[in-house]
Each structure stands twice: as C-alpha cells, then as structure tokens.
Amino acid sequence: MGDISTPLVRRDAAAKASGRATYVADLNLENVLHAKTVRSTIAKGEIFSVDVPPLPEGCFVVDHRDIPGENAVRIVFKDMPVFAERRVNYVGEPILLVCGPDREAVFAAAAAVRIAYREEPPTFAWTVSGNRHAYAKGDPGRAFDTAARIITRTYETGYQEQAYLEPQGMVGYPEADGRITLVGSMQCPYYVRDALLDVLACGEDDVRVIQAETGGAFGGKEEFPSLTGAQVAVAVRKTGRPVSLLYERAEDVEVTTKRHPSHIELSAAIDADLRVVGLKAKVGLDAGAYLGLSGVVLSRALIAATGAYTIPNLSVEGDAFLTNTVPTGAFRGFGAPQMFFAIEMFMGHVAALLGADPIAFKRRHLARQGDATSTSGTFRDPILADGMIDRVLELSQYRRKMKEYRKSGAWKGLGLSVFFHGCGFTGDGEATHIKARVRLEKSAGGVVTVRVANVDMGQGASTALTKIVAATLGVPFADVIFPHPDTLLSPDSGPTVASRTTMIVGALLARAAERLKTTWIDGEAQTVEERYVQPDFIAWDEERFRGDAYPAYSWGVVAVEVEVDRRTCQVDLKGCWAAYDVGKTIDDLLAEGQADGGITQGIAYGYLEKMEIVGGRLRQKNLTDYVIPTASDVCPTETVFVDNPFAFGPFGAKGLGELTLVGGAPAVAAAIENAIGRRVAKIPATPESILELIEHGKD
Amino acid sequence: MARIEFTLNRNPAVFEGDPARRLLDVLREDFGLSGTKEGCGEGECGACSVLVDREVVVSCLYPVGNAAGREIVTIEGYRTTRRYAVVERCFLEEGAVQCGFCTPGMIIAAESLLAKTPHPTEAEVVAGLAGNLCRCTGYNMIVRAVLRAAKEGEGLW
Amino acid sequence: MVTDRIPRTKAEALALLSDRQACVVAGGTDLMVKRRRWPGLAPAIPGAVFIAQIDELVFVRKEKDAVVIGACTPLAKILDHPMAPDLLKRAIAETAGPGIRHAATIAGNLANASPAADPALALVALDAVVRIEGPAGTREVPAERLATGPGRTELQPDELVTAIAIPDRAWTAAVFVKVGGRKADAISKVSFCGAAAVENGRIVCLNAAFGAVGPTILRVRDVEESLIGLTPAETAGDLPRILAAYGERIRPIDDQRSTAHYRKTVAINLLSDFILHL
C-alpha cells in the first residue's frame, strides 16, 4: 500500500458525472403531496388572522396546530419555531405548508392564503444581545495603561450565501409500521433526527433520517434541514402520505441561513519595541431573528481574536445580536472568516502606522509551538507558518512584484494572510455533546461497510474515510463501501461540521479498522464499534472560556494578486498561491479540490459576493443578483500542502474543509489596498466601495 | 395545447401539452430523465444544460414549444458515447467532480464547446463553461479536465 | 382544445397576432424567467405565440449599404457569422452565457427593452433600424426609439419585428465595455458602446450609447452632432463640456446591483476614455 495521500478516483464521481446519482429532487415518490411554504411578508408583528381558501380534494394545510410535541427546532438553542404561531420575526418566516397532489392547485391555494398582521416596529440595529461571551488573558488593563501607543480600528464583513448548486430539499413518507422516514439533502442526519423527537414527541424508533446525495452544503445544510425535516415530518404525520418539500432557488436564497455579518473593533497596546503586547476585541455578529447556533459561531470568532499571533494580554468580548432579519447560521469557517479578516487587516494597518513591513511585523508576532493560545491553552504541535510564509512569498514573487508595481504606479498589488482553523468542536464538545460512535461491518465475503453519520456533500468524505479504513485494514479500496448515512443503520458519529470528519471520525474509523484487522476471521461476518475518547490533555472551561479550545490547529498562508481597473474599479484576480498544513492529506486530489474551492469562496467573500438587507428584506434574492464567481472570474491557483503529522489524527491528518476559505478575504483585501493605496476595512470590497475609497478613503 | 415532435437522445419523441412548459420539466417529468438538474430556474447556473441541435442550451428557460424538429440530447443520451467516455475519465482523474450537481451540465457545455472547437485554448474553455456555475471546485480542475479531454480525445471531435 | 400557436411562417404568425391578445415568445430566455411560477409549472404566458421556428426570420445577409439580421436569429449564430458587425459580436460575446446565447434572439433582446441589454446597446450605437410588420403593412423604427421605458416598447400587440438592419460604416474607433457584477454570465451594471469614424483627421460620425444608466438605452444626439467636423485633439480639448453635457443626461438609479453614483462615474470614465482615444 502506497502513501495514503496518493490520489485515487473518488468512487461517487462516475455516478455524479453521468447523471445517475440521485439527489432528493430526483426521487419519485408515489402518491406524493407537493408542499409549498407560506411565509411572513413582514419583519415583525403578530399574526392577526390566517385565511385559507377552500382547499380542493386531497389538499392540506399544515401548521403549528398539527405539531404533537414542541413547536421548536433544536439547533443548539431551541428558539426557532417549526411554524410561526402567534408572532413572526423576519420576512420569510414559515407560517404554514400547503400540500397537495396537484402542484397547480397547491400553487394557487398557497397564493390565495391571506394573512393579516399587526405590524410592530422591527429591530434592525444591533441592540438586543441574544448571546454574550467574554474572556481575558494576562493583564490587559496594565498593558493598555502602560502602552507606548494604542491603535484602534473597526472592521465590517457582510452576509455570505452558501449558494450550493443544489437547492434545499426534504421528502418524507410514512412506513407501514408507523415510522416516519425522511430523505433529504443534509449534513447531519442525527441533528434532523433529534429535532424530530421533540417536535413529534416520539421515540427514536419512530423516525428515520436518510441522507440523499447532497449537492453542496458549506454549512448551509447543517442546521436548516432540521427545520424542513420537522415541517415535513409533521406534514407526513398529519396526512399519512409522502410529502415533498423542495425549495426553489429564489426561496432558498431568501430564507435559509447565511454567514453572520460582523462588526469588529480591535485595539492594540503597543510597547516601546513596537510589539503588540495587548489586544482588546469587541465583536458583534448579526444572528438574525433566532439565535440557533449563533452562540457557537460567536465563540469560534472570539477564540480567533488574536489570529495567528501570540499576544499575551487580552480582553475579548462579543455579542450575537437578534434582529428582525433572516436567521444566520453555519457557513464554512463559522466565525473564523470574520475574525481573521479583522485581525489580519488590523495587523497590517498597525504595521503601516508603525512604519513596519506588514509581513515582517506579522512574523514577529507569529505563534510558535509551546505558546499559550488566546484562551490560555497551549499550541502543543509544531507551527510551520513561518516556513509557509517563505514558501508563499517565493511562489508568488511577492517582494519583486510589489516593488515593481509601486514603482510603476499601476493599480496592481498583492496581499498575504496568515491564519489557522481550530479543528473539531470547541473544547469538550466532542466528549460532552457528540460522543461519537462508528461501526465497521464486515460481511462473510470480506466486504467492509463503513457506518457513520458523516455525509459526503462533495468534499469527498466517503472516499477519504473509506481510504483510511482500507489502508488500515490493508485491503483494496474496492472492498470497503460507504453507504449514505441512515439513522436506522448508522451510529451517531456526530455532524459533518467543524472540520472534524477526517480528523475525529477518521481516527475512530482507523482505530476500529485496527481492531477489525487484529480480530479478522475469514469467512465470518464481524462488527466492530469504536467510541470517542477525549485525549486527556484537552481541558476546557466553558464558563471561563479558558483552556484548549481545540485539539488541533490547521494552518494556512495565502497570497493573492489583483489588478484594479482605473476606469471601473473592477478587481481582476491575477493569481493565488497558498500553503496549507493539514497534518497529512488523505488524498491529494481531494485536498486540492477543497483548497481550490475554499479559496475561491474565501476570496469572493472578500471582493465579490454582496448581500444587503434593507428594511428586513434581502436585496439580492437569487443567483442573478447574488454574484458568485464563474469560471471567468477565477485565477490560476498554486497550492502546496506541508506535512506536519498530528499524533491523534488518522495518518496524521487534521481538519481541512474550512481552513482554505478562511484566508481568502484578508489576502484579497490586502491586495486591493496595495493596488489602490487606500485602506480596506470593509468587505466585500466591491467596485462601488473601491470607488468610494478612491474618492474619500484613507491611505 | 400543442403536439411537438422532436428527437430525444437519438430517438423520436412526441410531446403533447402546453408549449410554454419548460423543457427541463418535460425532460425530467414526462420522460423520466433526471440527470438534468434545476439549480436556479433562471438560466444562471447551467445545471439544466442540454444539447439542442448539438449546442448547449439552458433548459429551465427553453419552452418545449421551441423544440419542434430539434435534436435534443441529455446527459443520459450523451453518456453512451465514446466522447463522453473520454470526458468522464478526464473529469474523474483530474478531480473535477465534488458534489456533482453541476457536473452533467458542465459536461454538456464541454461537449458543445468541443463539437465546435475541437482544440480549444484555455480561454476558449473558460468562455465555453462561463455559463455553468460550480461552488465546490473553483473551476481550475474542471478546465484542466476539459483541456485534457480535448487532447486525449484527438479525432473524436 | 388544441390550438397550435407555433407558426411556421411569418404570415401564420401575423395571423395569430391579429387578435391583439397574443404574447410573442421568441427564444423565451427573458420571458420564461419573468413569468415563472413554480418549478414543474409552466410559466404564465397567456396567449403565447412561439415564433422561434420561423425559418424565414432566421438569417444574416447583406443588403445594399446594410447588414440585415432576421428577428429570430439566435445570438450565437450572429456571433459566428462573418458578416455580422464586429461591435455587435463583441456585445453578444459578453451577453449571458453560451446556454442562453444559443436560444436568445436578437429581436427578443431588443423587444425585451431592458436598458441593461448588451446586444441592444450595440444596435443602438450602430444606428440599427428595426423592421416591423403588422396588419397595416411594414414600417421602420430606429432601434434607439423602440424601447419607451424599461420593459416597454412602441410595438403594437399585432405587430412583429421581422428584421434589424445595421447600416454599413467603417468605424475607426469602436469600443464596447460591459461592467457587470462579474466577468461572465452577468447583467450589466453600466455599459458603454462607442463608435466613431474619423476621416482626413476629422470626425464624420460619432455615436456614444450607454446602458443601464436610465430607463432606456441612452444616446445624446445633440452632443454627438456637435463633435462632427472636429479633430480628435479638439474633441479631447472639449472634454469637460462633453462630460458635463452627458453628466446631465445620465441619471442612473440605486438598485440591488449597483449605485447611481458608481454607474454615473463609470459611464463618464468610459466615455472619457473613448473620447481620448479616437
């Protein structure tokens, strides 16, 4: 068996390419009822009346009255209703479903539903805190009192829409034994399953959730399917029929969860040696109408407050604010992209104000192995960021080009970012909340089935996890199969989030495979299960926000080159160079694909993708107006992975999925700054905002 | 109501019904061909791409009324060809498939390009795929796959 | 009830339009989106008459002093045609993506009357003339005057655009700049198409058209005419006056795609660039 990183062809690719792969909208359920959601048209108020037109035969309305259990979707916080009952809190909030066998009738009936509201003044300003965290380290008071200089800046980031190519979809049907089965596009079958237990007031055997082939997710299908799953399950229970809830794109863009907009104020206490010895961070995130998992996004953002740097004295606080807008949620990076944009730009701005070269300045402060983390944990493993900076500077020809462009006066520039991503759930989440279990089932014929709850949503998990098992067992890849996760057949190995799938679940599978290998009996069916055990060096105090926030950190350095058009202020991406430390790649081709896709999303977050809400209504409501990159917009990208095996990761692997997005925005923003000679503190740095900077911005 | 005759995946086909129906819906529902996907319903994403008279067309905004007499090929019809075999192999080996939702449309767009330009430059490949959105790959691996298919499929286009 | 509303000839089409209740569908690339209802349901286009199959309306040919393009000629076909004017091809190359260009028609683009339309912008800049047929016979309208507002034209419900004639002209400077949200597959935020003919050192013709800066595609004839007879250098010297005159007429809006200020600033920049490189 060769090196595990050696690529092989992912096994789901041929079915996908040929159009044979079955996504949820491709399922043809007999006797199905098509469901359409009727939604609030106001941002805040009381539902005064709901008038449903006379419904044709076979048509049903499903609403809060049909919920046997709790009218609440479990998404960490249980504040989001399945169906709005007496109050609505955002434009687009679901109030009821109209279901029927004939789509014309459903469409007409849904359009004829008349809802009267008592409107109330909505809250759009960030005044109501739904969740607050704060932590400190060292003696920030003293650091700031004795500082030679204090520099304060604020940074803003906007919404980002996941824009997975396959819109959200969920179908459900009753089984003969009364169980309700859901099939949908999702990242976390057990999140959906657990949400159903509360909503249907039923037992675990009464529901089954199966992941359908999922056409992209990026976090957007982490918690949202719990809402649609609950709605469909209630509808199935009420009607006794299969129900299909498929979102159209405009609806998906308008009402599903997006990345939290942020407002971050950073203050640096600088000593006489021009070193940042203290940092104050004040973070605000817009959680939208319901908190959901926004507290966790806030946590991750706050933990990333010092970025890639060691700053001994910290005072960090943040709020997730509730506003009458579409609820925000998980999106690749989960609070880190916002924070790394702020801290990376800030370090660059501080350097400029101190007359220092920004890259040299960042290097001085780079965290090193053994340093305390922001939350007073320890960076236990080697940090290769310094060498990675060298590599990226060389690949991009950063210094030579910057000199040349400065001299020529052309609006060309490069920007460089340094960043990490904490792999896995924060602190003791794995041990206290997830408690992952995996199973390997070997048939008498020697075919091994991987049973986990983690899904392949395009990132290649089915191939990576299968490779780990096959390589550990020493059997051909073809002898290991990976069916779609199914709560009836797969143990709960936790959600497909937080860059934990390869590192945590892969490690569990490797352990299970080791055990199967040593106990293997030819010709016999065998089953091996493994449970997660927290390495004892991870100690996290959730109350004080102190200790090791993550078991491992993956690191990245990215350089982006741009040219800005003087007439139109449009940004042309000229090149992108990246170095990543993910411990060990499980497959070089999968890793490169994740790197390319992630950096494209991250860069676009920085300069291209704009989403605004005005008066509680989204202005960019479809893929025509919400602009994501086409093949014409991307640039040549060169990526290197450096080996830095993590002792507890399978074959040394750490997390990869989110890392590659995190560094894109600060790198492109810095490149634009260097090209136009103005400071960028707000993203996306669209041509409109660049024009404003040229006309009014600061050097 | 109209009766529309066309060729679908090299076989004669008849549609009877509202000519304003989207070709996408007719293909998926009336003919059971689910390989063509709906990603946006407004012609932006290209996941619904099919070949009409050998040229890529976004079927979500193509009325079936315009299909009379045309040769329509979907991914189901294309995947049995030698050209497809080359394209598929290149897509797979270059890592151009992740979630796969854009892939059938990308392949159809690639065929449309190669049918007209058997030896495209990178810029021509990019222009040929510019109407197909992908959110997973960042496009570079897809462009490499198509360039490689053009080379390795020498003589097929 | 089976009513075939898919005419094969221009005469059949005109007959179907005569009740003034019809809605003409050519490529459908705008209409099928505008009128959509729900996936699986046909868009709401009552009275639809599908004219894309009318072969006699699909052509690119040379007439005396003009290139004439049939109304139902797909954009991609024009892009490939050796006779089609270069500036029109440049506009088409920036329009949408290949999957739309193979279906969208040149007349559909004009009749959709979007001020952001790219082929229409080039047609207006090129002094194209729209040929229309109706029960009263044939008439001609300059492309610039077809649209009366966003999504509105002066076409009567019983009329059909049959062809677009683009007068021959040897341009010495020709520019098409589209500023979209991204490099491809985008709607113009602001666009500019300029064409000038300089003979013996003097301007004999200068057309400057702007897209997405007002309710219809904009040309300012009096300023254009004021430049005839000037040398490029004189025109460059007159730039402040020219820009000020256009500045008064360019009145874009803020919308989900861009801002009025950006659109106006960029429009003026592009015009300025054009004037300085005649």
Side-chain angles (χ1 to χ4, degrees), chain A residues 272-306:
Chain A
D273 280 328
L274 301 188
R275 201 183 182 90
V276 177
V277 293
L279 183 78
K280 279 193 193 152
K282 190 148 181 246
V283 176
L285 300 178
D286 192 338
Y290 298 104
L291 200 61
L293 45 65
S294 299
V296 191
V297 176
L298 179 65
S299 292
R300 190 176 272 274
L302 296 180
I303 292 165
T306 53

Side-chain angles (χ1 to χ4, degrees), chain A residues 492-659:
Chain A
D492 188 356
S493 58
T496 314
V497 308
S499 303
R500 62 181 287 279
T501 301
T502 297
M503 189 179 82
I504 305 280
V505 181
L508 281 176
L509 284 170
R511 282 221 320 264
E514 284 288 356
R515 202 138 61 78
L516 179 60
K517 185 173 184 181
T518 55
T519 59
W520 184 290
I521 301 168
D522 273 333
E524 238 182 66
Q526 294 174 267
T527 297
V528 171
E529 268 203 25
E530 276 294 330
R531 301 182 154 270
Y532 180 74
V533 174
Q534 180 103 317
D536 53 18
F537 60 80
I538 297 182
W540 173 254
D541 182 341
E542 182 69 30
E543 281 294 307
R544 290 164 71 209
F545 228 71
R546 207 177 161 81
D548 286 305
Y550 305 102
Y553 301 84
S554 291
W555 286 79
V557 177
V558 162
V560 173
E561 183 182 341
V562 304
E563 181 168 3
V564 181
D565 188 310
R566 283 178 184 277
R567 305 166 308 170
T568 66
C569 298
Q570 288 173 296
V571 173
D572 188 16
L573 300 177
K574 302 307 253 182
C576 170
W577 302 265
Y580 301 112
D581 158 19
V582 298
K584 173 80 177 159
T585 57
I586 296 302
D587 185 292
D588 278 335
L589 206 55
L590 289 182
E592 192 187 341
Q594 285 294 286
D596 272 7
I599 196 71
T600 301
Q601 272 182 335
I603 291 174
Y605 174 55
Y607 89 101
L608 188 73
E609 298 183 23
K610 187 168 184 76
M611 183 171 266
E612 306 156 283
I613 289 194
V614 174
R617 268 157 239 281
L618 268 174
R619 278 188 117 184
Q620 291 81 10
K621 284 195 279 244
N622 48 45
L623 286 189
T624 305
D625 294 332
Y626 181 76
V627 174
I628 67 171
T630 66
S632 299
D633 296 287
V634 299
C635 58
T637 302
E638 210 179 323
T639 303
V640 298
F641 285 96
V642 298
D643 273 356
N644 187 14
F646 172 57
F648 296 88
F651 297 88
K654 295 184 285 191
L656 162 60
E658 294 169 276
L659 174 75

